[in-house]
Amino acid sequence: MKELKVDPIRNGTVIDHIPAGRVQRVLAILKPRSSDIVMMGMNFSSRAMKKKDIIKIEGRELTQNEVNSIALIAPDAKVSIIREFKVAQKTKVEIPELIEGLVACSNPKCITNAEPMQTRFKLVNIEKRQLACQYCERVFMADEMDHI
Ligand SMILES: [Zn+2]
């Protein structure tokens, strides 16, 4: 492959190194607005990963909360903010120690599913990417959780 067949963007965000097949889940987190121009690339070859997906969003810079949400399902993603066709900022994608209000607890008996309250999870194992609910103490895999 000579070059990526995705047009460069002037201003916006590039999310690279998304594990192949997860582009739809990342998009579900980003909830593109009607004014967003979104370009997707799937199954690109990558040296580090066998296959990867890429998303480019014109006219939008991701917030830290959005980056943290992406970290849960695409831990090796690289997020770049683009201004005037240049990389203005690279945002580190990593699961924060405390994840508040980003994902739902899958335990139907958890109080967070009964009361209108913010969920709160703690990162308990970085390698296995396990999160524990601070209310019911159940442990979940980061990439199996439902994003709010
Ligand atoms: Zn819970």
Side-chain angles (χ1 to χ4, degrees), residues 15-126:
I15 308 157
D16 198 353
H17 288 90
I18 300 166
R22 294 206 166 168
V23 74
Q24 298 293 352
R25 292 185 63 190
V26 173
L27 275 183
I29 291 169
L30 299 177
K31 299 181 186 77
R33 296 176 284 243
S34 56
S35 57
D36 291 341
I37 300 167
V38 180
M39 287 168 273
M40 272 188 306
M42 291 162 79
N43 297 317
F44 285 114
S45 301
S46 161
R47 238 172 290 162
M49 312 160 81
K50 274 191 199 126
K51 298 271 183 194
K52 66 173 184 176
D53 294 347
I54 297 172
I55 297 175
K56 297 188 179 194
I57 309 173
E58 177 89 52
R60 177 165 163 198
E61 298 187 359
L62 297 194
T63 65
Q64 190 61 49
N65 254 355
E66 288 169 326
V67 172
N68 290 346
S69 281
I70 291 169
L72 297 174
I73 56 168
D76 300 314
K78 290 185 170 64
V79 176
S80 304
I81 305 294
I82 309 294
R83 291 177 194 140
E84 289 301 320
F85 297 109
K86 291 202 182 94
V87 177
Q89 190 188 321
K90 282 188 188 278
T91 307
K92 202 172 179 192
V93 173
E94 62 181 355
I95 302 175
E97 288 288 311
L98 200 62
I99 300 104
E100 289 182 290
L102 296 182
V103 283
C105 182
S106 305
N107 174 7
K109 290 184 178 146
C110 182
I111 189 166
T112 61
N113 289 314
E115 303 285 333
M117 59 196 293
Q118 211 179 39
T119 60
R120 185 187 262 246
F121 293 87
K122 203 174 173 207
L123 180 63
V124 288
N125 187 315
I126 295 176

